[in-house]
Amino acid sequence: ALYWFARLLDGGCDPAYVARRVVRMASEDIGNADPRGLALALDACAAYDRLGSPEGELALAQAVVFLACAAKSNAVYTALAAARDDVERG
């Protein structure tokens, strides 16, 4: 995960974009399997916003490693999709 994070940065990817993707991963892929992931991802985004590059990238790296190692569950993501389908069908 850190390798690909470094590749993104080296390729000129905006770290703020990576931060948004980290938050999305925490919510969509980790979910309730480890609810600490979302709080950590949001804290990493806040740290990046406060510090900027390159210092804030360390906070993003910490979040990337945590989420890569965390248990995964997309149960809420799929349940919300099913609920939305039910609402659309009436």
Side-chain angles (χ1 to χ4, degrees):
L2 281 178
Y3 171 81
W4 290 107
F5 177 63
R7 288 284 304 259
L8 286 168
L9 296 178
D10 185 62
C13 184
D14 181 2
Y17 170 79
V18 176
R20 289 190 301 274
R21 300 306 307 157
V22 165
V23 170
R24 176 72 188 231
M25 184 171 69
S27 182
E28 184 177 322
D29 300 329
I30 310 303
N32 286 340
D34 195 339
R36 298 173 299 166
L38 183 55
L40 187 129
L42 290 169
D43 287 345
C45 286
Y48 178 79
D49 286 344
R50 176 171 283 212
L51 297 173
S53 292
E55 295 87 352
E57 292 166 10
L58 181 58
L60 295 177
Q62 287 175 296
V64 164
V65 169
F66 182 91
L67 297 176
C69 296
K72 310 295 189 279
S73 172
N74 69 347
V76 172
Y77 178 80
T78 57
L80 179 57
R84 286 182 169 162
D85 287 345
D86 285 345
V87 168
E88 285 181 21
R89 286 190 303 246

